[in-house]
Amino acid sequence: MKKIDLGTVLVTGAAGFIGAALSRKLLKEGISVVGVDNLNDYYDVSLKKSRLNYIAQALDGSKKKLWNFYQISIENKNEIDKIFNNYAPSVVVNLAAQAGVRYSIDNPISYFNSNLLGFGNILEACRNYKVTNLVYASSSSVYGGNKKTPFKEKHPVDHQVSLYAATKRSNELMANSYSHLYGIPATGLRFFTVYGPWGRPDMAPMIFVNSILSGKVIKVFNYGDSYRDFTFIDDVVEAIYRCCLKPASPNTQFDIYNPDPSSSKAPHRIFNLGCGKPVNLLAFIELIESNLKIKAKKEFLPLQKGDVEYTSADITALNDWIGYEPNYSIDSGILEFINWFRRYYRQT
């Protein structure tokens, strides 16, 4: 894609898994980045701080002035407004959110605060400070109980099976309304099981590798008969970067009598961001076992409340929009992840 001047990019959730990788990518491209993150303790804060150090490693010489980080929660409207006022970002990438499907079952209030109130604050700031491009994180979980696969953006998404998914679908509706009312170009990306170096400790790849190396039993839900569309972090970051370069535009062919849920007469688009090749859970575990050369101890359990059995992304629309094509296979991605895990946690 043609490189354009993005001005200053605000990345929320900058100490998170995807946020840190994206911030580092933007900085290496010579783009000014303002990162915000509240560094909450949903998982190991030291890992988040290590990611911030990893971002700093991308800064040499004159690039140091390109990076500014603030420990701020997006629920704090006054602090968010100060950031927008001081830096006037032209592009905003909202990755800050309370993550986790299972955590939402017992801790719903944190999802209301971060994913709804916090996202509302970001939308309001984008409106008031004339942001020209908003890219925000949605999730494959919005497909909920859908059985028709692969998931397409045109499929109905009205039957979420977790509060987390419901808040992400709400974000899509909120963004569409702001695009319609205020002309804010907004792109929602439905992430499909992102994994790789610097990943989240509550996600299956980290749990499995850590448990196998520690000799602990891993819990295999749905008796292993689940499929996930694992997407490597570098592919995800490249797609977000390209969406930063290409703001959403109205669908000039939008049919009000047969509306396309993934686009609008307003400048709002929704895309799947996955690999497009779902992997069976047991095959995934076997791949990890093969790389570690250790057999996992497994406990087979029923499907957990809030989980879905199958995710599979149709990525045709994103390919048409920005030329997105995943570069990492599950084999190469898992190898890179395990190599990072051993280095970071000093495992042999």
Side-chain angles (χ1 to χ4, degrees), residues 94-335:
N94 187 70
L95 301 171
Q98 177 58 59
V101 168
R102 294 164 191 166
Y103 189 73
S104 69
I105 296 171
D106 298 319
N107 302 275
I109 296 301
S110 60
Y111 291 79
F112 295 140
N113 290 337
S114 181
N115 300 11
L116 299 180
L117 175 61
F119 188 60
N121 289 339
I122 294 297
L123 289 173
E124 268 293 275
C126 288
R127 172 173 79 97
N128 292 327
Y129 293 92
K130 312 302 181 186
V131 166
T132 59
N133 187 5
L134 168 65
V135 181
Y136 66 93
S138 186
S139 168
S140 63
S141 65
V142 302
Y143 289 105
N146 286 16
K147 296 295 183 182
K148 187 175 182 180
T149 57
F151 297 149
K152 296 183 179 183
E153 296 90 344
K154 295 181 180 182
H155 289 171
V157 285
D158 300 319
H159 301 283
Q160 284 80 42
V161 296
S162 71
L163 177 63
Y164 169 72
T167 63
K168 286 300 183 180
R169 177 57 180 152
S170 297
N171 287 171
E172 295 177 352
L173 298 174
M174 293 163 71
N176 187 72
S177 68
Y178 267 70
S179 291
H180 173 73
L181 292 169
Y182 310 114
I184 301 169
T187 302
L189 297 173
R190 291 174 176 168
F191 297 142
F192 281 70
T193 316
V194 185
Y195 75 101
W198 301 98
R200 278 172 34 203
D202 63 320
M203 297 288 285
M206 189 86 87
I207 292 172
F208 290 165
V209 171
N210 185 46
S211 295
I212 293 171
L213 286 172
S214 302
K216 298 177 182 177
V217 174
I218 62 173
K219 294 179 179 180
V220 184
F221 293 102
N222 202 36
Y223 306 103
D225 192 23
S226 295
Y227 287 77
R228 288 291 180 271
D229 196 332
F230 291 100
T231 317
F232 193 69
I233 182 63
D234 289 17
D235 290 329
V236 170
V237 166
E238 179 63 25
I240 299 172
Y241 173 64
R242 293 189 183 195
C243 287
C244 289
L245 297 173
K246 186 175 182 179
S249 59
N251 178 1
T252 57
Q253 305 300 317
F254 190 79
D255 183 355
I256 60 173
Y257 297 104
N258 186 29
D260 173 3
S262 67
S263 66
S264 172
K265 290 193 294 183
H268 180 233
R269 302 273 178 161
I270 295 172
F271 298 105
N272 290 335
L273 177 43
C275 183
K277 297 178 180 179
V279 178
N280 174 264
L281 183 57
L282 285 178
F284 180 71
I285 294 170
E286 289 171 2
L287 179 59
I288 293 174
E289 291 173 325
S290 176
N291 278 279
L292 294 177
K293 296 180 173 55
I294 302 172
K295 199 72 175 173
K297 300 173 183 177
K298 308 179 188 73
E299 179 184 4
F300 291 90
L301 298 166
L303 187 71
Q304 278 203 126
K305 185 184 295 186
D307 273 357
V308 296
E309 297 177 38
Y310 198 102
T311 66
S312 174
D314 184 318
I315 55 176
T316 304
L318 192 58
N319 176 272
D320 291 342
W321 184 250
I322 57 168
Y324 168 72
E325 291 183 359
N327 290 317
Y328 283 81
S329 67
I330 189 67
D331 298 84
S332 59
I334 282 297
L335 177 59

